[in-house]
Amino acid sequence: MAKRKEENFFSPENAKRPRQEELDDFDKDGDEDECTVSFTNGTSTLVSAKFGAWRGSYVSFICHILDNSISGKSAVLTALIVGLGGKAVATNRGSSLKGFVKDGQNSADISITLRNRGDDAYRANVYGNSIVVQQHISMDGSRSYKLKSETGTVVSTRKEELIAILDHFNIQVDNPVSVLTQEMSKQFLQSKNEGDKYKFFMKATQLEQMKEDYSYIMETKERTKEQINQGEERLIELKRQCLEKEERFQSIAGLSTMKTNLEYLKHEMAWAVVNEIEKQLNAIRDNIKIGEDRAARLDRKMEEQQVRLNEAEKKYKDIQDKLEKISQETNARAPECMALKTDVTAKKRVYNEAEVLYNRSLNEYRALMKDDEQLCKRIEELKKSTDQSLEPERLERQKKISWLKERVKALQDQESSINQEIEQFQQAIEKDKEERIRIKGEELDVKHTLSYNQRQLKELKDSKTDRLKRFGPHVPALLEAIDDAYRRGLFTCKPVGPLGACIHLRDPELALAIESCLKGLLQAYCCHNHADERVLQALMERFYSRGTSRPQIIVSEFRNEMYDVRHRAAYHPEFPTVLTALEIDNAVVANSLIDMRSIETVLLIKSNSVARSVMQSQKPPKNCREAFTADGDQVFAGRYYSSENTRPKFLSKDVDSEISDLENEVENKKAQILNLQQHLSALEKDIKRNEEFLRRRQIPVKITESISEIRELENIEEHQSVDIATLEDEAQENKIKMKTVEKNMEQQQKNKEHLKSLKIEAENKYDAIKQKINQLSDLAEPLKDELNLADSEVDNQKRGKRHYEEKQKEHLDTLNKKKRELDMKEKELEEKMSQARQICPERIEVKKSASILDKEINRLRQKIQAEHASHGDREEIMRQYQEAKETYLDLDNKVKTLKRFIKLLEEIMTHRYKTYQQFRRCLTLRCKLYFDNLLSQRAYCGKMNFDHKNETLSISVQPGEGNKAAFNDMRALSGGERSFSTVCFILSLWSIAESPFRCLDEFDVYMDMVNRRIAMDMILKMADSQRFRQFILLTPQSMSSLPSSKLIRILRMSDPERGQTTLPFRPVGQEEEEDRS
């Protein structure tokens, strides 16, 4: 190729790159592994040879170096490569320069003489007709150069000078076209990597160097763009500096104007301050007016709040009075109830006695009736009958009469004691009946409790799988419906609840106390607004039928933070409040419980006695309204209410234990019902047995019957002796007795009825007062809840009142502060107006603010001071201004030039890259043509396939005849065929690549005589056609068959001898050399 020409770019960075790898080897060739091969011997070995480098029509020659295989001919190439600045690895003889120093020696020297003649000689006036390149290699691998002239004068020791000489003569020692060693040829041709072959071709044709140059130019272009960007940023700064200098320059002429402007600005500043104070005064007056209006509104709100507080306190007092009245009435009716109960018992006893007397008279009357019937019958019989009685019958009647009289006497003796027994049995029957009524009521209560416990047990078992079912069987389904409605956007904020599911106990023993405090709030839900409440009510209608109780809905705006209740919360060092006893993650839940139940004011005290002591024996803790015990009892300062519940329903954590306890309680209730039923059955039996005993214990009747029977028997016995008149008198007397008894019976009947009415009246009074007491108890329960709510409402209203009082106090403080500020501002305004009139008597209209005017005055003062400081150096200011302007314009011109250069470079690079591609195609085509032409001289055929996209090159050779033989990879050829193919490929590259000399090492070592002859003819033919180049061929073969020619020079090397320091080249005189040329 022709000599590369240097190109001049804008900056030194764009200058032609030196070969960096050669510069790196100037001092040291790296710390590579030491090679065991050496090519020098002696302490100061000099390998000397002369090479010509010509331009124009100078004739070249061919130099053959002959030796045997161990004579060191390859050392010539190694010395040539290293001596002209090549790396050690390029020789394939070692990896470090220190490996070329003979063992036992300290250094090695190489000397190469380059011809420097012709029209294109390099610095001929300095170097003369030849240039001597001397290189010194040290033991540590470093090397130094000496470049001498024809006369031996050292011209330079810099490697850059050697690189310039090599570039001038286009010498490339690392280019296989210039120097191809045997190892390089072998590695190239036997390489399996087609990419390596492509790189070999690119390097040989210097296309690789061109490609690297293009890449370097593109990198330089990017760096230049960065310089342009930096220059543009610098331009902005320079422009600013230039403007400052210009302003400073121009300010010299406007100094008087600036002073005038400064005075005017001072006048404006004086009245601008007055304007601002007036504006501040107006703003303060407006704020005071707004504050007074707000104070009035706060007064009205405080009055309204006081009215609400009074109403709440009145409502609380009314409920408390009602509850107290009920309690007093209940206590007042208790003695009356006990007295009525005693009266009922007494009247029952009197009534029973009257009933006994009546029954006794009734029996007596019945006996008299029977006697009357018998007397009448006897009189009739006496009138009709005669004396026909028999003696045996009379004896029998007398015997029976005697027995009956004894029986009557015995019965009369028993009558008094039996009457007492009858009374006792009647009282026992009455008592058993009352007990039966009580047992039936107790049985009904136990059955209700059993039913409630069974429902609660079912809910607890359901809650084991879903805790939410403790708050109601429909709660899980309701929450799912709420989630679905929220996803569909029906709620502004998702409702929260049930509240009991959102709280957690810190102490499980306080579960019943907290449930007794919160009650129905545990099942309540919270909504953000009334619209959400209506949606939730609609959802609840799906799960709660009309008439059934629904969970409470609390409407309150949701907040992310819990209320600050520290100033109004109850505090006791030992006992927590409901708020502190709960873990509440959701601020909405906590705020709702605070609003609805004031849980921050309710203490939790486990012991009942301690709770009474804390709340009633002494003054309750501050802010504490009430307390609850672990049993659920509610304790006020003056009242105590016991809880009806014995276990928590919603907040218990140990569900299994609760289920077990509830199951035991259910079983106990069932056993209790069974016992009550057995007791009832026993009572029924006792009542029946006692009533039967009463029926059997009618002693007066038996006495009357026995007396009647005695009389009847006596009448039978004595009927004959008693006349009819006597019987009639007796019958008349009996009737009188009957009337007397009947009259007594009527009197007893009336008395019995009277006593019965008295008994019923007493029972009614007792039932009425008992019912009244029960009604009072029923009335007290809702009143307790109302009292709690009213108490909470009173607390809320008090908090509201305190809130408005605090706001009013804070607002009045602010308002008074504003008024004081107004007074101060009015005084300040008077002072500022007085000062302004002193500066400028007439008020002027000012549109700018005082802060802006102050900045302008300061800036103007600084300018004036700066002008005063620099007023005596006017020339220096002008010079600085001109320098800044010139610097700015110069940099602006450079940036514009760089932009034009970049644009032009892009156009040139686009064109050159297209030319590079075209040139690469031409070289590829020429290489293929030369390769095919050279192979055809031996009747070979070959292919070279270039793939520039993937950067691969594949070579195949057909050594046979025509198309009869197949194409083979070069590694499959014989040694001679491969060497011949190598020569053809090298000659093809020689044909398309430029170099002042060519070097081949053992090019024919594996050729037979025929291939060697053909290859040699081809090389001679090419050398003859390129007489301006020098060809150096190294071979161990005999060259005796070469034709004699003045263009061919054969050098035969002797075997190396011990002590040899210089290769035995016969020096050639200049005249002889000129004759040959």
Side-chain angles (χ1 to χ4, degrees):
M1 290 179 64
K3 180 169 70 77
R4 290 177 293 175
K5 303 226 171 161
E6 297 179 356
E7 293 182 18
N8 187 17
F9 296 102
F10 173 72
S11 65
E13 293 180 2
N14 295 325
K16 182 172 179 65
R17 292 180 301 147
R19 297 180 184 174
Q20 186 63 37
E21 63 276 7
E22 295 170 349
L23 289 173
D24 294 340
D25 288 337
F26 182 75
D27 296 325
K28 191 171 182 178
D29 197 18
D31 296 331
E32 301 173 5
D33 295 338
E34 185 177 353
C35 181
T36 57
V37 180
S38 67
F39 66 95
T40 62
N41 51 14
T43 59
S44 181
T45 301
L46 178 64
V47 180
S48 179
K50 291 185 179 180
F51 301 97
W54 299 269
R55 294 291 182 271
S57 60
Y58 202 88
V59 179
S60 71
F61 66 91
I62 299 176
C63 177
H64 282 278
I65 299 175
L66 306 178
D67 68 341
N68 56 35
S69 60
I70 59 173
S71 62
K73 56 180 173 30
S74 296
V76 176
L77 280 185
T78 301
L80 180 63
I81 294 171
V82 174
L84 292 179
K87 288 186 176 183
V89 294
T91 65
N92 293 318
R93 296 288 178 173
S95 59
S96 177
L97 289 177
K98 60 186 178 181
F100 296 136
V101 179
K102 186 176 181 181
D103 292 341
Q105 302 298 325
N106 296 324
S107 62
D109 294 315
I110 302 172
S111 179
I112 299 174
T113 302
L114 302 177
R115 178 171 296 186
N116 189 34
R117 297 182 183 179
D119 296 335
D120 202 14
Y122 180 77
R123 299 176 67 186
N125 58 337
V126 177
Y127 286 96
N129 292 331
S130 64
I131 299 172
V132 180
V133 180
Q134 290 183 352
Q135 184 175 166
H136 179 77
I137 302 174
S138 302
M139 276 294 294
D140 59 358
S142 63
R143 58 183 172 182
S144 60
Y145 296 92
K146 287 184 181 179
L147 302 175
K148 297 182 180 180
S149 64
E150 181 182 17
T151 59
T153 303
V154 177
V155 178
S156 176
T157 58
R158 298 174 64 250
K159 189 175 182 180
E160 287 79 0
E161 180 70 8
L162 174 60
I163 293 173
I165 294 171
L166 297 178
D167 285 343
H168 184 79
F169 292 130
N170 198 22
I171 298 173
Q172 305 170 45
V173 293
D174 58 346
N175 192 335
V177 173
S178 298
V179 180
L180 182 63
T181 63
Q182 184 180 9
E183 289 297 326
M184 187 182 298
S185 175
K186 184 188 302 182
Q187 292 174 5
F188 161 67
L189 292 174
Q190 292 185 354
S191 175
K192 296 181 180 180
N193 192 338
E194 296 178 349
D196 293 342
K197 296 178 181 178
Y198 183 83
K199 290 179 182 178
F200 184 88
F201 167 78
M202 294 291 286
K203 188 174 183 180
T205 57
Q206 291 188 284
L207 288 172
E208 182 179 7
Q209 182 66 33
M210 291 178 66
K211 185 177 179 182
E212 291 177 355
D213 289 342
Y214 293 152
S215 300
Y216 177 75
I217 291 170
M218 296 308 292
E219 293 175 1
T220 304
K221 184 187 76 171
E222 294 301 323
R223 288 197 297 272
T224 305
K225 284 184 178 180
E226 293 179 2
Q227 290 179 353
I228 292 173
N229 295 333
Q230 295 174 0
E232 289 176 342
E233 294 176 358
R234 177 64 178 159
L235 272 176
I236 296 173
E237 179 66 19
L238 288 176
K239 186 176 181 180
R240 185 186 64 78
Q241 295 177 1
C242 186
L243 291 175
E244 289 179 356
K245 300 292 184 184
E246 184 179 3
E247 184 178 358
R248 186 179 178 189
F249 171 71
Q250 292 176 353
S251 65
I252 297 175
L255 185 60
S256 60
T257 305
M258 286 189 291
K259 290 182 179 180
T260 304
N261 292 338
L262 180 61
E263 289 299 319
Y264 184 75
L265 287 174
K266 288 180 179 179
H267 294 173
E268 285 188 329
M269 181 67 180
W271 288 106
V273 172
V274 173
N275 290 344
E276 289 191 355
I277 294 177
E278 289 177 344
K279 289 179 181 178
Q280 293 173 2
L281 275 173
N282 293 331
I284 293 172
R285 290 191 184 102
D286 293 340
N287 289 336
I288 290 174
K289 186 176 183 307
I290 293 170
E292 289 175 346
D293 295 340
R294 187 182 178 192
R297 289 197 302 273
L298 286 173
D299 287 336
R300 290 194 296 272
K301 286 185 178 180
M302 284 179 61
E303 292 174 359
E304 294 171 359
Q305 190 68 29
Q306 184 64 43
V307 171
R308 287 194 292 269
L309 176 60
N310 293 337
E311 291 176 354
E313 288 179 341
K314 184 177 180 303
K315 183 179 179 181
Y316 176 81
K317 191 174 184 310
D318 292 343
I319 296 172
Q320 191 177 28
D321 292 342
K322 288 180 182 179
L323 197 60
E324 191 67 27
K325 185 177 179 182
I326 290 171
S327 179
Q328 291 175 358
E329 189 173 353
T330 302
N331 295 333
R333 290 179 182 274
E336 184 182 359
C337 181
M338 293 299 296
L340 287 173
K341 185 176 181 181
T342 304
D343 185 52
V344 167
T345 304
K347 287 184 177 179
K348 282 183 178 180
R349 185 171 61 253
V350 172
Y351 170 75
N352 291 334
E353 292 174 355
E355 189 176 18
V356 169
L357 290 175
Y358 174 77
N359 290 332
R360 187 180 297 170
S361 297
L362 180 62
N363 292 330
E364 186 179 357
Y365 180 76
R366 288 174 181 171
L368 291 173
M369 285 285 293
K370 190 174 182 181
D371 289 344
D372 185 63
E373 289 177 0
Q374 289 177 354
L375 285 172
C376 291
K377 184 178 179 182
R378 182 61 180 165
I379 290 171
E380 290 295 326
E381 288 178 354
L382 287 175
K383 287 180 179 181
K384 294 180 181 179
S385 66
T386 59
D387 188 10
Q388 298 175 355
S389 59
L390 300 175
E391 186 65 20
E393 293 180 359
R394 188 179 64 81
L395 294 175
E396 184 67 27
R397 284 195 300 270
Q398 289 179 351
K399 185 178 180 180
K400 188 173 183 181
I401 288 171
S402 299
W403 179 81
L404 287 173
K405 286 180 177 179
E406 292 178 357
R407 182 184 178 195
V408 168
K409 186 178 180 182
L411 288 173
Q412 287 176 346
D413 294 336
Q414 295 178 1
E415 183 177 8
S416 60
S417 63
I418 288 175
N419 287 336
Q420 292 180 357
E421 289 182 1
I422 289 172
E423 185 177 354
Q424 290 176 357
F425 276 107
Q426 287 176 341
Q427 291 178 356
I429 290 170
E430 188 67 25
K431 185 177 180 181
D432 287 343
K433 287 181 178 180
E434 290 179 358
E435 182 71 11
R436 180 176 63 184
I437 294 171
R438 186 187 67 78
I439 294 297
K440 283 186 176 180
E442 185 176 351
E443 180 187 16
L444 186 61
D445 293 339
V446 174
K447 285 183 177 179
H448 287 316
T449 304
L450 176 62
S451 177
Y452 173 77
N453 288 343
Q454 286 175 337
R455 288 196 307 272
Q456 192 173 359
L457 180 61
K458 183 177 181 303
E459 292 175 359
L460 282 175
K461 288 182 177 179
D462 292 340
S463 68
K464 288 187 67 176
T465 57
D466 190 348
R467 180 173 177 265
L468 294 173
K469 288 186 177 180
R470 300 188 72 171
F471 301 93
H474 305 301
V475 170
L478 175 60
L479 291 180
E480 289 182 3
I482 290 173
D483 291 338
D484 181 63
Y486 180 68
R487 285 193 295 269
R488 291 188 285 118
L490 299 181
F491 288 109
T492 305
C493 294
K494 182 181 175 182
V496 178
L499 299 185
C502 303
I503 62 177
H504 304 282
L505 302 177
R506 298 181 188 273
D507 187 354
E509 294 182 4
L510 297 174
L512 182 57
I514 293 175
E515 282 196 15
S516 299
C517 175
L518 301 181
K519 295 183 179 178
L521 290 175
L522 294 172
Q523 295 175 282
Y525 292 79
C526 296
C527 287
H528 179 65
N529 51 39
H530 290 287
D532 290 350
E533 178 198 14
R534 289 191 291 272
V535 176
L536 183 58
Q537 288 282 14
L539 292 177
M540 285 185 176
E541 288 180 358
R542 302 182 192 174
F543 305 99
Y544 299 93
S545 58
R546 291 188 178 275
T548 59
S549 61
R550 296 182 184 178
Q552 182 181 355
I553 298 178
I554 303 169
V555 180
S556 178
E557 182 181 359
F558 286 3
R559 296 185 180 182
N560 295 327
E561 295 182 357
M562 193 178 78
Y563 296 149
D564 185 4
V565 296
R566 289 174 292 182
H567 63 284
R568 65 172 187 265
Y571 171 75
H572 194 280
E574 298 181 20
F575 310 116
T577 63
V578 176
L579 178 60
T580 57
L582 293 175
E583 291 182 0
I584 308 175
D585 298 330
N586 194 331
V588 174
V589 176
N591 293 339
S592 298
L593 294 178
I594 291 171
D595 290 336
M596 299 299 295
R597 194 61 184 86
S598 300
I599 58 176
E600 76 280 10
T601 64
V602 181
L603 286 179
L604 298 176
I605 306 172
K606 294 182 180 181
S607 172
N608 297 350
S609 59
V610 175
R612 287 179 184 271
S613 175
V614 171
M615 297 297 295
Q616 296 177 350
S617 299
Q618 53 190 343
K619 185 179 178 180
K622 183 181 178 181
N623 297 329
C624 179
R625 298 187 306 104
E626 57 185 307
F628 283 86
T629 68
D631 296 332
D633 296 346
Q634 188 176 14
V635 187
F636 290 93
R639 303 183 305 281
Y640 188 98
Y641 300 105
S642 299
S643 174
E644 296 178 354
N645 299 322
T646 58
R647 66 169 55 84
K649 180 179 179 182
F650 303 108
L651 301 180
S652 176
K653 290 187 177 180
D654 192 357
V655 179
D656 293 331
S657 176
E658 286 292 320
I659 290 174
S660 177
D661 293 343
L662 207 53
E663 286 176 344
N664 293 335
E665 189 167 343
V666 167
E667 293 299 324
N668 292 336
K669 292 298 180 184
K670 288 181 179 180
Q672 189 176 352
I673 290 173
L674 182 60
N675 292 333
L676 290 174
Q677 289 175 349
Q678 291 175 354
H679 193 185
L680 278 176
S681 177
L683 286 175
E684 292 288 349
K685 291 180 180 179
D686 288 344
I687 291 171
K688 289 181 180 179
R689 185 172 61 252
N690 290 335
E691 288 178 346
E692 183 65 26
F693 180 80
L694 282 177
R695 283 193 296 270
R696 290 198 306 269
R697 287 286 183 174
Q698 299 297 327
I699 300 299
V701 176
K702 292 180 179 181
I703 292 172
T704 304
E705 289 177 352
S706 297
I707 292 172
S708 298
E709 189 175 357
I710 290 170
R711 289 176 180 174
E712 185 177 341
L713 291 174
E714 287 177 348
N715 290 333
I716 293 173
E717 183 179 357
E718 298 175 357
H719 68 279
Q720 294 179 355
S721 60
V722 179
D723 55 4
I724 295 173
T726 304
L727 291 175
E728 287 178 349
D729 293 338
E730 188 176 349
Q732 186 64 32
E733 186 180 350
N734 191 48
K735 286 182 179 180
I736 293 171
K737 288 182 179 181
M738 285 177 62
K739 288 180 179 180
T740 303
V741 171
E742 185 177 2
K743 187 176 180 181
N744 290 334
M745 282 178 61
E746 289 176 358
Q747 185 66 30
Q748 290 174 352
Q749 176 69 21
K750 290 179 181 179
N751 186 36
K752 187 182 76 166
E753 292 295 330
H754 175 67
L755 292 174
K756 184 177 181 181
S757 63
L758 292 176
K759 179 181 75 96
I760 292 173
E761 182 181 358
E763 287 178 346
N764 290 336
K765 287 182 180 180
Y766 174 70
D767 291 340
I769 195 169
K770 189 174 181 181
Q771 184 178 2
K772 186 66 176 177
I773 291 174
N774 292 335
Q775 289 176 353
L776 291 174
S777 299
D778 294 339
L779 288 174
E781 287 301 321
L783 284 176
K784 289 180 184 178
D785 295 336
E786 291 181 14
L787 184 65
N788 291 334
L789 293 176
D791 196 12
S792 299
E793 181 65 21
V794 170
D795 287 343
N796 290 336
Q797 297 304 330
K798 286 182 179 178
R799 285 197 298 271
K801 183 182 177 183
R802 286 197 299 271
H803 170 72
Y804 284 118
E805 287 175 349
E806 291 172 0
K807 288 187 71 175
Q808 179 71 308
K809 183 178 180 300
E810 181 181 353
H811 180 66
L812 289 176
D813 292 341
T814 305
L815 188 61
N816 293 329
K817 185 178 179 181
K818 288 287 183 184
K819 289 180 179 179
R820 290 193 297 271
E821 185 180 357
L822 178 63
D823 295 336
M824 294 174 61
K825 282 292 180 184
E826 287 176 346
K827 293 179 181 179
E828 185 181 359
L829 178 62
E830 292 176 1
E831 294 176 359
K832 293 297 181 184
M833 289 186 71
S834 176
Q835 294 174 3
R837 288 192 183 98
Q838 292 176 1
I839 296 171
C840 180
E842 294 184 3
R843 183 165 184 168
I844 58 177
E845 184 179 356
V846 183
K847 295 182 179 179
K848 297 180 181 178
S849 65
S851 60
I852 295 175
L853 289 172
D854 185 56
K855 291 179 181 178
E856 291 182 358
I857 289 171
N858 291 332
R859 187 164 59 249
L860 199 55
R861 280 176 177 168
Q862 291 174 0
K863 287 184 179 180
I864 291 171
Q865 291 174 359
E867 292 301 328
H868 278 302
S870 61
H871 189 67
D873 196 4
R874 181 183 180 91
E875 298 298 327
E876 179 65 21
I877 295 174
M878 293 179 63
R879 186 186 62 78
Q880 291 178 359
Y881 170 62
Q882 290 297 331
E883 287 180 356
K885 186 175 181 181
E886 289 174 1
T887 303
Y888 170 74
L889 293 176
D890 181 59
L891 182 59
D892 183 57
N893 184 43
K894 288 181 178 180
V895 169
K896 291 178 180 178
T897 303
L898 280 174
K899 288 182 178 179
R900 290 194 298 270
F901 168 73
I902 289 295
K903 184 178 180 182
L904 180 62
L905 181 62
E906 288 177 347
E907 295 175 357
I908 292 173
M909 290 305 299
T910 301
H911 174 70
R912 290 193 66 177
Y913 187 70
K914 291 180 180 178
T915 305
Y916 163 77
Q917 290 179 319
Q918 184 178 1
F919 181 56
R920 185 180 61 188
R921 286 194 297 271
C922 292
L923 289 179
T924 302
L925 182 59
R926 288 179 61 194
C927 186
K928 288 181 179 181
L929 293 175
Y930 281 119
F931 187 66
D932 290 340
N933 184 35
L934 293 172
L935 287 177
S936 63
Q937 296 182 17
R938 188 72 166 77
Y940 286 11
C941 291
K943 288 184 180 180
M944 299 177 71
N945 295 323
F946 290 88
D947 186 351
H948 298 297
K949 182 177 181 180
N950 297 319
E951 297 186 350
T952 59
L953 169 60
S954 60
I955 301 174
S956 57
V957 177
Q958 179 185 8
E961 297 178 0
N963 295 326
K964 293 181 180 180
F967 286 96
N968 295 321
D969 186 88
M970 294 185 67
R971 288 172 296 176
L973 301 176
S974 65
E977 292 171 343
R978 185 165 57 252
S979 296
F980 175 73
S981 300
T982 302
V983 171
C984 291
F985 180 67
I986 294 300
L987 293 178
S988 300
L989 293 178
W990 283 358
S991 300
I992 63 174
E994 297 290 337
S995 179
F997 60 85
R998 319 285 195 187
C999 295
L1000 283 179
D1001 184 12
E1002 296 187 5
F1003 66 95
D1004 56 351
V1005 67
Y1006 295 113
M1007 292 184 185
D1008 53 19
M1009 292 303 296
V1010 176
N1011 286 324
R1012 183 181 296 113
R1013 180 71 262 172
I1014 295 173
M1016 187 56 64
D1017 291 342
M1018 292 167 60
I1019 293 172
L1020 292 176
K1021 183 178 180 181
M1022 179 169 289
D1024 185 58
S1025 65
Q1026 299 180 3
R1027 294 188 179 186
F1028 54 87
R1029 289 193 178 91
Q1030 183 176 6
F1031 294 81
I1032 302 173
L1033 308 177
L1034 292 89
T1035 177
Q1037 305 295 334
S1038 174
M1039 293 289 107
S1040 58
S1041 60
L1042 288 178
S1044 299
S1045 172
K1046 63 180 181 179
L1047 299 177
I1048 300 174
R1049 179 182 177 187
I1050 300 175
L1051 300 175
R1052 186 181 300 274
M1053 298 178 64
S1054 302
D1055 294 338
E1057 297 178 1
R1058 296 184 181 274
Q1060 177 180 320
T1061 60
T1062 304
L1063 294 178
F1065 292 153
R1066 181 174 60 87
V1068 181
Q1070 183 175 346
E1071 294 81 4
E1072 181 182 354
E1073 196 170 292
E1074 289 177 351
D1075 292 340
R1076 291 179 178 175
S1077 61

